[in-house]
Amino acid sequence: MIFAYNKQNVGDTLMVIVKNDENKDNAIEKKGDVARVQTTDGTTVAWNFFNVSEYLPIHGNGQVELSEKEIEILNEHLKLAGFEERLATDLSPKFVVGYVKTCVPHPDSDHLHITETEIDGGKTLQIVCGAPNIAAGQKVVVAKPGAMMPDGQMIWPGNLRGVDSFGMICSARELHLPNAPEKKGILVLAEDAKIGEKFEIGK
């Protein structure tokens, strides 16, 4: 689930993206200051909370983080608007320090690699990576499913040439870090970086 806010370009609207969906035939149901976006089969893929700053202080541009209390406030507005669904609470960071445990060539590609990368909570994600400098034993930055990159790209589980991938191992340029090198390649962190620790990105 992605919380996104861009007052300058979108207005005072908090967008909550629940699922990855590129269908342009979705239906929109608006009740008061809340709108639900659903697919033709009735699956909710997003919510829009209009005039959100009237009841929720929003800081930042792009992906924003909400506290458990702030999500409760959004759920209360869903209830008041007459919607039965509620937003789930997930306070885990979306960008974390990862450790590449294994890295093997993709069987159907001359440049992709399949990694097993440890993240927060002791979890391990299978992530397909195309960076030329990816290797086992590295500390890296992982954008988990539900992350929004500084350029607006949203990270969801995907499939690259027949292999499932759950997240992205990031370069300094993708993270909008200052003085990022032009040369392609993922950002390799210092050996003392703590696995699972939140990584602060540029906006």
Side-chain angles (χ1 to χ4, degrees):
M1 187 163 54
I2 295 174
F3 298 101
Y5 185 75
N6 187 329
K7 188 172 184 178
Q8 181 176 348
N9 295 320
V10 181
D12 189 22
T13 301
L14 178 68
M15 296 169 285
V16 183
I17 300 95
V18 180
K19 294 180 181 295
N20 184 24
D21 181 75
E22 299 178 358
N23 190 336
K24 296 181 180 180
D25 297 325
N26 289 332
I28 299 176
E29 180 184 10
K30 188 173 185 293
K31 297 181 180 181
D33 280 345
V34 181
R36 175 171 57 187
V37 182
Q38 289 183 307
T39 60
T40 53
D41 67 359
T43 300
T44 299
V45 293
W47 297 92
N48 289 327
F49 291 84
F50 304 105
N51 304 312
V52 68
S53 64
E54 294 181 4
Y55 53 88
L56 201 67
I58 299 291
H59 304 286
N61 180 50
Q63 186 168 19
V64 294
E65 296 180 0
L66 300 184
S67 67
E68 185 173 0
K69 179 62 177 178
E70 288 170 331
I71 295 174
E72 288 178 3
I73 292 172
L74 293 180
N75 280 331
E76 184 63 26
H77 276 263
L78 287 177
K79 180 180 178 180
L80 291 173
F83 290 105
E84 293 185 0
E85 293 181 65
R86 300 293 179 263
L87 302 176
T89 301
D90 178 11
L91 304 180
S92 65
K94 301 305 180 186
F95 293 87
V96 299
V97 176
Y99 175 71
V100 182
K101 298 165 68 175
T102 65
C103 179
V104 298
H106 190 296
D108 190 32
S109 171
D110 59 2
H111 72 283
L112 295 176
H113 288 81
I114 304 169
T115 75
E116 295 290 331
T117 302
E118 183 180 348
I119 57 166
D120 53 315
K123 297 179 181 177
T124 297
L125 299 179
Q126 177 172 281
I127 302 176
V128 178
C129 180
N133 63 328
I134 186 72
Q138 293 172 334
K139 300 282 183 69
V140 296
V141 179
V142 174
K144 295 159 51 179
M148 176 182 283
M149 301 300 293
D151 66 0
Q153 176 188 2
M154 292 180 283
I155 305 301
W156 302 103
N159 186 284
L160 294 174
R161 295 200 177 185
V163 176
D164 291 335
S165 183
F166 301 91
M168 185 170 79
I169 298 175
C170 306
S171 71
R173 290 182 65 190
E174 290 166 332
L175 296 168
H176 285 198
L177 299 183
N179 304 314
E182 292 296 323
K183 186 177 179 181
K184 290 185 177 180
I186 51 104
L187 174 64
V188 180
L189 303 176
E191 291 185 5
D192 60 355
K194 186 177 178 181
I195 300 171
E197 190 172 75
K198 180 181 178 181
F199 188 89
E200 297 288 349
I201 67 167
K203 295 292 186 183

